Amino acid sequence: MSFEVKKGEIVGLLRPNGAGKTTILEMMEGLRKSDSGTSIVANANVAEATRKVTSHIGVQLQSSSFFDNMKGVQP
């Protein structure tokens, strides 16, 4: 699969269950290793510069995993 998102664009992945949307995002975030090919995000190879990549993207998960008593900023 190959696609490009230009600066300032907002993109949503819409496909049926089991189509690979979560897998694609996990590979882009560096949470899952690609079986083949290369993932490039913000001109950086995800496998080699995961930290740089994650500083350029944001992902909204289906549900949050915050503790009920946790605040946005902890002292």
Side-chain angles (χ1 to χ4, degrees):
M1 173 178 198
S2 178
F3 65 94
E4 181 179 343
V5 179
K6 296 184 187 326
K7 186 174 183 173
E9 286 184 322
I10 298 172
V11 174
L13 295 176
L14 304 173
R15 296 297 299 158
N17 290 344
K21 300 175 301 291
T22 300
T23 301
I24 290 167
L25 290 176
E26 288 175 350
M27 288 187 294
M28 287 173 59
E29 295 174 85
L31 298 174
R32 181 185 296 247
K33 190 174 180 179
S34 300
D35 292 334
S36 64
T38 305
S39 296
I40 304 293
V41 176
N43 294 318
N45 184 322
V46 175
E48 298 170 357
T50 304
R51 203 172 270 227
K52 180 180 178 185
V53 168
T54 57
S55 72
H56 288 279
I57 64 174
V59 176
Q60 174 60 51
L61 303 174
Q62 290 180 15
S63 61
S64 65
S65 58
F66 294 115
F67 297 103
D68 292 333
N69 61 350
M70 182 179 275
K71 297 178 184 170
V73 175
Q74 291 289 333

